[in-house]
Amino acid sequence: MGDDDHELLEELPELADLVLAIVDQIPEGRVVTYGDIAAVAGSGPRQVGSVMSGYGSMVAWWRVLRADGRPPQGHEDEAIAHYREEDTPMRNGRVDLRRARFPLDEVEGVRPA
């Protein structure tokens, strides 16, 4: 993230700041679900979705997806292009969560709620 993004983060609600910090640490080719983030952030998947809807453009938003491996709704084509570029494991048009899921216990500064 650039300096301008860090300045904006100072103005974000606490949950948004936490969610974006988590997403920012997901490596290329790996993904998490809204529920994965919610479990460590102490919120619900819908709240994580709201954060991503409002602020996701600040991070690699395509690395956060639904529990069934489908990319974010309305952004499928762009997300799939990112998955291909990053060699994210896919199967039948969806991300293969078994192979691509990133364990959030490896994320710095985040403890499971």
Side-chain angles (χ1 to χ4, degrees):
M1 289 194 299
D3 290 338
D4 291 339
D5 291 334
H6 285 291
E7 288 176 20
L8 182 57
L9 279 178
E10 292 175 13
E11 300 173 14
L12 295 179
E14 188 174 328
L15 178 60
D17 190 28
L18 177 58
V19 168
L20 297 179
I22 292 168
V23 175
D24 204 33
Q25 294 183 60
I26 302 167
E28 285 188 14
R30 304 297 298 273
V31 299
V32 297
T33 67
Y34 296 102
D36 292 341
I37 294 175
V40 297
S43 69
R46 289 181 189 261
Q47 288 79 12
V48 172
S50 292
V51 169
M52 293 303 293
S53 176
Y55 306 105
S57 64
M58 297 172 66
V59 293
W61 55 267
W62 58 91
R63 296 181 188 151
V64 182
L65 38 76
R66 295 178 258 187
D68 64 3
R70 288 184 294 160
Q73 193 171 7
H75 301 281
E76 294 89 351
D77 292 341
E78 189 176 354
I80 288 171
H82 284 291
Y83 301 146
R84 288 183 178 138
E85 182 178 316
E86 296 183 356
D87 292 323
T88 305
M90 298 198 59
R91 184 177 178 174
N92 299 324
R94 296 180 185 200
V95 171
D96 184 345
L97 287 174
R98 188 179 54 78
R99 294 175 36 218
R101 188 176 246 152
F102 181 70
L104 290 180
D105 59 354
E106 295 182 21
V107 171
E108 242 180 77
V110 176
R111 300 281 181 261

